[in-house]
Amino acid sequence: QVQLVEAGGGLVQAGGSLRLSCAASVRTFLTHAMGWFRQAPGKEREFVAAIDWNGGTTHFADSVKGRFGISRDYANTVYLEMHSLKPEDTAVYYCAAEPSGELPTEIRKYSNWGQGTQVTVSS
């Protein structure tokens, strides 16, 4: 089983920043693409960002381009850096592992999911 544990969520004022982390099993982490998704109250889970197996390429949802960054440390952790946060960014954020190593945005491509971390942005 691939273990994914998110951390770093919390309450932040609009315009502020947070860094989320996701710790994963080393063996699978090194050959999997990693993605971040979020789910707001009453909404479907949506794609946020992804990074390929070696960190060479990334992809972001249009809603977060220019504000969010994704990186991985080649050990066991992937990060989501969030800046200029808006109330509409409020959601539970999930990390997920994708075994092909590429950059899918489709939820069904991801085989393992963390439990999520709550991000709340106040107006």
Side-chain angles (χ1 to χ4, degrees):
Q1 181 182 355
V2 177
Q3 296 283 344
L4 302 175
V5 181
E6 300 98 335
L11 176 64
V12 64
Q13 293 183 328
S17 299
L18 284 174
R19 177 186 289 178
L20 306 184
S21 63
C22 175
S25 302
V26 174
R27 276 195 174 190
T28 54
F29 177 82
L30 292 176
T31 58
H32 284 54
M34 299 294 297
W36 286 96
F37 295 77
R38 66 187 182 187
Q39 188 165 18
K43 303 294 184 181
E44 296 292 323
R45 190 170 299 186
E46 65 177 356
F47 170 78
V48 176
I51 187 165
D52 74 347
W53 71 276
N54 68 354
T57 56
T58 60
H59 183 66
F60 298 91
D62 288 342
S63 60
V64 304
K65 283 183 179 178
R67 300 189 297 121
F68 288 16
I70 187 169
S71 61
R72 62 196 301 166
D73 65 8
Y74 303 103
N76 71 329
T77 306
V78 62
Y79 302 92
L80 184 70
E81 297 182 359
M82 305 184 294
H83 304 283
S84 301
L85 284 163
K86 306 173 181 178
E88 51 263 44
D89 294 318
T90 295
V92 177
Y93 283 71
Y94 300 88
C95 67
E98 199 287 310
S100 79
E102 298 185 2
L103 293 170
T105 61
E106 299 176 359
I107 291 174
R108 65 182 180 87
K109 298 289 188 179
Y110 290 82
S111 59
N112 291 275
W113 293 80
Q115 294 299 306
T117 185
Q118 176 71 47
V119 172
T120 302
V121 184
S122 62
S123 61

PDB file of all heavy atoms in Angstrom, residues 57-83:
ATOM      1  N   THR A  57       8.531  18.189 -15.467  1.00  0.00           N
ATOM      2  CA  THR A  57       7.418  18.936 -16.029  1.00  0.00           C
ATOM      3  C   THR A  57       6.303  19.061 -15.003  1.00  0.00           C
ATOM      4  O   THR A  57       6.131  18.196 -14.142  1.00  0.00           O
ATOM      5  CB  THR A  57       6.864  18.278 -17.305  1.00  0.00           C
ATOM      6  OG1 THR A  57       6.497  16.920 -17.022  1.00  0.00           O
ATOM      7  CG2 THR A  57       7.901  18.292 -18.416  1.00  0.00           C
ATOM      8  N   THR A  58       5.565  20.140 -15.111  1.00  0.00           N
ATOM      9  CA  THR A  58       4.443  20.400 -14.214  1.00  0.00           C
ATOM     10  C   THR A  58       3.247  20.899 -14.997  1.00  0.00           C
ATOM     11  O   THR A  58       3.371  21.346 -16.141  1.00  0.00           O
ATOM     12  CB  THR A  58       4.805  21.439 -13.141  1.00  0.00           C
ATOM     13  OG1 THR A  58       5.172  22.672 -13.775  1.00  0.00           O
ATOM     14  CG2 THR A  58       5.973  20.959 -12.292  1.00  0.00           C
ATOM     15  N   HIS A  59       2.089  20.838 -14.379  1.00  0.00           N
ATOM     16  CA  HIS A  59       0.877  21.337 -14.996  1.00  0.00           C
ATOM     17  C   HIS A  59      -0.025  21.891 -13.901  1.00  0.00           C
ATOM     18  O   HIS A  59      -0.097  21.321 -12.812  1.00  0.00           O
ATOM     19  CB  HIS A  59       0.160  20.230 -15.767  1.00  0.00           C
ATOM     20  CG  HIS A  59      -1.066  20.694 -16.482  1.00  0.00           C
ATOM     21  ND1 HIS A  59      -1.019  21.584 -17.527  1.00  0.00           N
ATOM     22  CD2 HIS A  59      -2.382  20.395 -16.287  1.00  0.00           C
ATOM     23  CE1 HIS A  59      -2.243  21.812 -17.953  1.00  0.00           C
ATOM     24  NE2 HIS A  59      -3.082  21.104 -17.220  1.00  0.00           N
ATOM     25  N   PHE A  60      -0.715  22.993 -14.212  1.00  0.00           N
ATOM     26  CA  PHE A  60      -1.580  23.649 -13.249  1.00  0.00           C
ATOM     27  C   PHE A  60      -2.950  23.927 -13.839  1.00  0.00           C
ATOM     28  O   PHE A  60      -3.081  24.216 -15.036  1.00  0.00           O
ATOM     29  CB  PHE A  60      -0.979  24.982 -12.789  1.00  0.00           C
ATOM     30  CG  PHE A  60       0.336  24.854 -12.092  1.00  0.00           C
ATOM     31  CD1 PHE A  60       1.519  24.921 -12.803  1.00  0.00           C
ATOM     32  CD2 PHE A  60       0.388  24.657 -10.722  1.00  0.00           C
ATOM     33  CE1 PHE A  60       2.740  24.798 -12.164  1.00  0.00           C
ATOM     34  CE2 PHE A  60       1.601  24.539 -10.073  1.00  0.00           C
ATOM     35  CZ  PHE A  60       2.776  24.604 -10.788  1.00  0.00           C
ATOM     36  N   ALA A  61      -3.948  23.869 -12.995  1.00  0.00           N
ATOM     37  CA  ALA A  61      -5.266  24.323 -13.399  1.00  0.00           C
ATOM     38  C   ALA A  61      -5.221  25.824 -13.662  1.00  0.00           C
ATOM     39  O   ALA A  61      -4.468  26.559 -13.025  1.00  0.00           O
ATOM     40  CB  ALA A  61      -6.296  24.011 -12.314  1.00  0.00           C
ATOM     41  N   ASP A  62      -6.047  26.285 -14.605  1.00  0.00           N
ATOM     42  CA  ASP A  62      -6.059  27.706 -14.935  1.00  0.00           C
ATOM     43  C   ASP A  62      -6.364  28.581 -13.717  1.00  0.00           C
ATOM     44  O   ASP A  62      -5.848  29.695 -13.603  1.00  0.00           O
ATOM     45  CB  ASP A  62      -7.090  27.985 -16.028  1.00  0.00           C
ATOM     46  CG  ASP A  62      -6.660  27.463 -17.383  1.00  0.00           C
ATOM     47  OD1 ASP A  62      -5.463  27.187 -17.576  1.00  0.00           O
ATOM     48  OD2 ASP A  62      -7.536  27.328 -18.258  1.00  0.00           O
ATOM     49  N   SER A  63      -7.171  28.080 -12.816  1.00  0.00           N
ATOM     50  CA  SER A  63      -7.586  28.858 -11.662  1.00  0.00           C
ATOM     51  C   SER A  63      -6.457  29.175 -10.689  1.00  0.00           C
ATOM     52  O   SER A  63      -6.588  30.090  -9.873  1.00  0.00           O
ATOM     53  CB  SER A  63      -8.713  28.138 -10.917  1.00  0.00           C
ATOM     54  OG  SER A  63      -8.291  26.863 -10.467  1.00  0.00           O
ATOM     55  N   VAL A  64      -5.344  28.432 -10.771  1.00  0.00           N
ATOM     56  CA  VAL A  64      -4.250  28.642  -9.827  1.00  0.00           C
ATOM     57  C   VAL A  64      -2.947  29.039 -10.504  1.00  0.00           C
ATOM     58  O   VAL A  64      -1.951  29.291  -9.805  1.00  0.00           O
ATOM     59  CB  VAL A  64      -4.023  27.404  -8.942  1.00  0.00           C
ATOM     60  CG1 VAL A  64      -5.305  27.015  -8.221  1.00  0.00           C
ATOM     61  CG2 VAL A  64      -3.484  26.230  -9.761  1.00  0.00           C
ATOM     62  N   LYS A  65      -2.910  29.115 -11.820  1.00  0.00           N
ATOM     63  CA  LYS A  65      -1.690  29.496 -12.528  1.00  0.00           C
ATOM     64  C   LYS A  65      -1.204  30.861 -12.063  1.00  0.00           C
ATOM     65  O   LYS A  65      -1.980  31.800 -11.929  1.00  0.00           O
ATOM     66  CB  LYS A  65      -1.929  29.522 -14.035  1.00  0.00           C
ATOM     67  CG  LYS A  65      -1.963  28.162 -14.689  1.00  0.00           C
ATOM     68  CD  LYS A  65      -2.137  28.268 -16.194  1.00  0.00           C
ATOM     69  CE  LYS A  65      -2.141  26.901 -16.843  1.00  0.00           C
ATOM     70  NZ  LYS A  65      -2.347  26.984 -18.305  1.00  0.00           N
ATOM     71  N   GLY A  66       0.093  30.953 -11.823  1.00  0.00           N
ATOM     72  CA  GLY A  66       0.681  32.196 -11.369  1.00  0.00           C
ATOM     73  C   GLY A  66       0.618  32.395  -9.879  1.00  0.00           C
ATOM     74  O   GLY A  66       1.261  33.312  -9.353  1.00  0.00           O
ATOM     75  N   ARG A  67      -0.139  31.561  -9.174  1.00  0.00           N
ATOM     76  CA  ARG A  67      -0.267  31.684  -7.729  1.00  0.00           C
ATOM     77  C   ARG A  67       0.271  30.472  -6.978  1.00  0.00           C
ATOM     78  O   ARG A  67       0.766  30.619  -5.861  1.00  0.00           O
ATOM     79  CB  ARG A  67      -1.728  31.902  -7.341  1.00  0.00           C
ATOM     80  CG  ARG A  67      -2.346  33.160  -7.931  1.00  0.00           C
ATOM     81  CD  ARG A  67      -3.712  33.430  -7.326  1.00  0.00           C
ATOM     82  NE  ARG A  67      -4.669  32.370  -7.625  1.00  0.00           N
ATOM     83  CZ  ARG A  67      -5.303  31.639  -6.704  1.00  0.00           C
ATOM     84  NH1 ARG A  67      -5.077  31.860  -5.412  1.00  0.00           N
ATOM     85  NH2 ARG A  67      -6.177  30.703  -7.065  1.00  0.00           N
ATOM     86  N   PHE A  68       0.151  29.285  -7.578  1.00  0.00           N
ATOM     87  CA  PHE A  68       0.560  28.051  -6.917  1.00  0.00           C
ATOM     88  C   PHE A  68       1.805  27.473  -7.582  1.00  0.00           C
ATOM     89  O   PHE A  68       2.029  27.657  -8.785  1.00  0.00           O
ATOM     90  CB  PHE A  68      -0.546  27.002  -6.991  1.00  0.00           C
ATOM     91  CG  PHE A  68      -1.745  27.262  -6.118  1.00  0.00           C
ATOM     92  CD1 PHE A  68      -1.989  28.500  -5.557  1.00  0.00           C
ATOM     93  CD2 PHE A  68      -2.643  26.237  -5.875  1.00  0.00           C
ATOM     94  CE1 PHE A  68      -3.096  28.730  -4.765  1.00  0.00           C
ATOM     95  CE2 PHE A  68      -3.760  26.448  -5.087  1.00  0.00           C
ATOM     96  CZ  PHE A  68      -3.986  27.692  -4.534  1.00  0.00           C
ATOM     97  N   GLY A  69       2.598  26.746  -6.821  1.00  0.00           N
ATOM     98  CA  GLY A  69       3.741  26.026  -7.338  1.00  0.00           C
ATOM     99  C   GLY A  69       3.742  24.607  -6.802  1.00  0.00           C
ATOM    100  O   GLY A  69       3.192  24.340  -5.732  1.00  0.00           O
ATOM    101  N   ILE A  70       4.334  23.691  -7.562  1.00  0.00           N
ATOM    102  CA  ILE A  70       4.446  22.310  -7.126  1.00  0.00           C
ATOM    103  C   ILE A  70       5.896  21.872  -7.293  1.00  0.00           C
ATOM    104  O   ILE A  70       6.560  22.241  -8.265  1.00  0.00           O
ATOM    105  CB  ILE A  70       3.479  21.390  -7.900  1.00  0.00           C
ATOM    106  CG1 ILE A  70       3.483  19.973  -7.317  1.00  0.00           C
ATOM    107  CG2 ILE A  70       3.783  21.386  -9.392  1.00  0.00           C
ATOM    108  CD1 ILE A  70       2.361  19.095  -7.865  1.00  0.00           C
ATOM    109  N   SER A  71       6.389  21.101  -6.343  1.00  0.00           N
ATOM    110  CA  SER A  71       7.756  20.612  -6.399  1.00  0.00           C
ATOM    111  C   SER A  71       7.855  19.298  -5.646  1.00  0.00           C
ATOM    112  O   SER A  71       6.956  18.948  -4.883  1.00  0.00           O
ATOM    113  CB  SER A  71       8.738  21.641  -5.814  1.00  0.00           C
ATOM    114  OG  SER A  71       8.453  21.896  -4.449  1.00  0.00           O
ATOM    115  N   ARG A  72       8.949  18.581  -5.856  1.00  0.00           N
ATOM    116  CA  ARG A  72       9.200  17.354  -5.113  1.00  0.00           C
ATOM    117  C   ARG A  72      10.673  17.293  -4.757  1.00  0.00           C
ATOM    118  O   ARG A  72      11.524  17.839  -5.463  1.00  0.00           O
ATOM    119  CB  ARG A  72       8.744  16.126  -5.912  1.00  0.00           C
ATOM    120  CG  ARG A  72       9.457  15.911  -7.234  1.00  0.00           C
ATOM    121  CD  ARG A  72       8.699  14.926  -8.122  1.00  0.00           C
ATOM    122  NE  ARG A  72       8.534  13.623  -7.501  1.00  0.00           N
ATOM    123  CZ  ARG A  72       7.697  12.684  -7.924  1.00  0.00           C
ATOM    124  NH1 ARG A  72       6.920  12.918  -8.986  1.00  0.00           N
ATOM    125  NH2 ARG A  72       7.630  11.525  -7.285  1.00  0.00           N
ATOM    126  N   ASP A  73      10.980  16.617  -3.659  1.00  0.00           N
ATOM    127  CA  ASP A  73      12.345  16.649  -3.147  1.00  0.00           C
ATOM    128  C   ASP A  73      13.166  15.409  -3.474  1.00  0.00           C
ATOM    129  O   ASP A  73      14.281  15.260  -2.995  1.00  0.00           O
ATOM    130  CB  ASP A  73      12.343  16.897  -1.631  1.00  0.00           C
ATOM    131  CG  ASP A  73      11.708  15.779  -0.828  1.00  0.00           C
ATOM    132  OD1 ASP A  73      11.385  14.722  -1.391  1.00  0.00           O
ATOM    133  OD2 ASP A  73      11.558  15.971   0.392  1.00  0.00           O
ATOM    134  N   TYR A  74      12.638  14.497  -4.283  1.00  0.00           N
ATOM    135  CA  TYR A  74      13.321  13.285  -4.726  1.00  0.00           C
ATOM    136  C   TYR A  74      13.655  12.348  -3.577  1.00  0.00           C
ATOM    137  O   TYR A  74      14.497  11.464  -3.709  1.00  0.00           O
ATOM    138  CB  TYR A  74      14.580  13.634  -5.526  1.00  0.00           C
ATOM    139  CG  TYR A  74      14.273  14.508  -6.703  1.00  0.00           C
ATOM    140  CD1 TYR A  74      14.547  15.871  -6.669  1.00  0.00           C
ATOM    141  CD2 TYR A  74      13.679  13.983  -7.850  1.00  0.00           C
ATOM    142  CE1 TYR A  74      14.232  16.686  -7.746  1.00  0.00           C
ATOM    143  CE2 TYR A  74      13.362  14.787  -8.923  1.00  0.00           C
ATOM    144  CZ  TYR A  74      13.641  16.136  -8.865  1.00  0.00           C
ATOM    145  OH  TYR A  74      13.326  16.948  -9.935  1.00  0.00           O
ATOM    146  N   ALA A  75      12.990  12.540  -2.483  1.00  0.00           N
ATOM    147  CA  ALA A  75      13.094  11.632  -1.349  1.00  0.00           C
ATOM    148  C   ALA A  75      11.730  11.004  -1.101  1.00  0.00           C
ATOM    149  O   ALA A  75      11.464   9.881  -1.521  1.00  0.00           O
ATOM    150  CB  ALA A  75      13.615  12.357  -0.116  1.00  0.00           C
ATOM    151  N   ASN A  76      10.852  11.783  -0.434  1.00  0.00           N
ATOM    152  CA  ASN A  76       9.534  11.209  -0.166  1.00  0.00           C
ATOM    153  C   ASN A  76       8.414  12.235  -0.074  1.00  0.00           C
ATOM    154  O   ASN A  76       7.310  11.883   0.332  1.00  0.00           O
ATOM    155  CB  ASN A  76       9.567  10.381   1.120  1.00  0.00           C
ATOM    156  CG  ASN A  76       9.691  11.232   2.365  1.00  0.00           C
ATOM    157  OD1 ASN A  76      10.291  12.304   2.341  1.00  0.00           O
ATOM    158  ND2 ASN A  76       9.120  10.758   3.463  1.00  0.00           N
ATOM    159  N   THR A  77       8.675  13.485  -0.457  1.00  0.00           N
ATOM    160  CA  THR A  77       7.693  14.529  -0.221  1.00  0.00           C
ATOM    161  C   THR A  77       7.443  15.380  -1.464  1.00  0.00           C
ATOM    162  O   THR A  77       8.377  15.751  -2.173  1.00  0.00           O
ATOM    163  CB  THR A  77       8.144  15.445   0.935  1.00  0.00           C
ATOM    164  OG1 THR A  77       8.421  14.647   2.092  1.00  0.00           O
ATOM    165  CG2 THR A  77       7.063  16.457   1.288  1.00  0.00           C
ATOM    166  N   VAL A  78       6.183  15.679  -1.715  1.00  0.00           N
ATOM    167  CA  VAL A  78       5.788  16.630  -2.741  1.00  0.00           C
ATOM    168  C   VAL A  78       5.121  17.812  -2.054  1.00  0.00           C
ATOM    169  O   VAL A  78       4.441  17.650  -1.037  1.00  0.00           O
ATOM    170  CB  VAL A  78       4.855  15.971  -3.790  1.00  0.00           C
ATOM    171  CG1 VAL A  78       3.559  15.490  -3.153  1.00  0.00           C
ATOM    172  CG2 VAL A  78       4.572  16.934  -4.937  1.00  0.00           C
ATOM    173  N   TYR A  79       5.311  19.015  -2.598  1.00  0.00           N
ATOM    174  CA  TYR A  79       4.824  20.238  -1.986  1.00  0.00           C
ATOM    175  C   TYR A  79       3.880  20.981  -2.917  1.00  0.00           C
ATOM    176  O   TYR A  79       4.015  20.929  -4.140  1.00  0.00           O
ATOM    177  CB  TYR A  79       5.988  21.167  -1.640  1.00  0.00           C
ATOM    178  CG  TYR A  79       7.009  20.550  -0.723  1.00  0.00           C
ATOM    179  CD1 TYR A  79       8.118  19.888  -1.236  1.00  0.00           C
ATOM    180  CD2 TYR A  79       6.869  20.617   0.659  1.00  0.00           C
ATOM    181  CE1 TYR A  79       9.061  19.313  -0.402  1.00  0.00           C
ATOM    182  CE2 TYR A  79       7.806  20.050   1.502  1.00  0.00           C
ATOM    183  CZ  TYR A  79       8.898  19.400   0.965  1.00  0.00           C
ATOM    184  OH  TYR A  79       9.829  18.833   1.803  1.00  0.00           O
ATOM    185  N   LEU A  80       2.947  21.675  -2.332  1.00  0.00           N
ATOM    186  CA  LEU A  80       2.110  22.621  -3.047  1.00  0.00           C
ATOM    187  C   LEU A  80       2.247  23.965  -2.348  1.00  0.00           C
ATOM    188  O   LEU A  80       1.817  24.114  -1.203  1.00  0.00           O
ATOM    189  CB  LEU A  80       0.646  22.175  -3.063  1.00  0.00           C
ATOM    190  CG  LEU A  80      -0.300  23.064  -3.864  1.00  0.00           C
ATOM    191  CD1 LEU A  80      -0.021  22.938  -5.366  1.00  0.00           C
ATOM    192  CD2 LEU A  80      -1.759  22.716  -3.568  1.00  0.00           C
ATOM    193  N   GLU A  81       2.869  24.915  -3.027  1.00  0.00           N
ATOM    194  CA  GLU A  81       3.025  26.259  -2.491  1.00  0.00           C
ATOM    195  C   GLU A  81       1.893  27.124  -3.011  1.00  0.00           C
ATOM    196  O   GLU A  81       1.690  27.239  -4.216  1.00  0.00           O
ATOM    197  CB  GLU A  81       4.381  26.843  -2.897  1.00  0.00           C
ATOM    198  CG  GLU A  81       5.561  26.084  -2.337  1.00  0.00           C
ATOM    199  CD  GLU A  81       6.890  26.711  -2.705  1.00  0.00           C
ATOM    200  OE1 GLU A  81       6.896  27.727  -3.425  1.00  0.00           O
ATOM    201  OE2 GLU A  81       7.932  26.184  -2.269  1.00  0.00           O
ATOM    202  N   MET A  82       1.168  27.737  -2.106  1.00  0.00           N
ATOM    203  CA  MET A  82      -0.004  28.524  -2.449  1.00  0.00           C
ATOM    204  C   MET A  82       0.212  29.965  -2.008  1.00  0.00           C
ATOM    205  O   MET A  82       0.508  30.224  -0.843  1.00  0.00           O
ATOM    206  CB  MET A  82      -1.251  27.939  -1.785  1.00  0.00           C
ATOM    207  CG  MET A  82      -1.472  26.469  -2.109  1.00  0.00           C
ATOM    208  SD  MET A  82      -3.024  25.827  -1.419  1.00  0.00           S
ATOM    209  CE  MET A  82      -2.651  25.943   0.337  1.00  0.00           C
ATOM    210  N   HIS A  83       0.064  30.890  -2.944  1.00  0.00           N
ATOM    211  CA  HIS A  83       0.237  32.308  -2.683  1.00  0.00           C
ATOM    212  C   HIS A  83      -0.987  33.074  -3.166  1.00  0.00           C
ATOM    213  O   HIS A  83      -1.760  32.590  -3.987  1.00  0.00           O
ATOM    214  CB  HIS A  83       1.485  32.840  -3.387  1.00  0.00           C
ATOM    215  CG  HIS A  83       2.736  32.111  -3.029  1.00  0.00           C
ATOM    216  ND1 HIS A  83       3.388  32.309  -1.841  1.00  0.00           N
ATOM    217  CD2 HIS A  83       3.449  31.177  -3.715  1.00  0.00           C
ATOM    218  CE1 HIS A  83       4.463  31.533  -1.796  1.00  0.00           C
ATOM    219  NE2 HIS A  83       4.515  30.836  -2.916  1.00  0.00           N
TER     220      HIS A  83
END
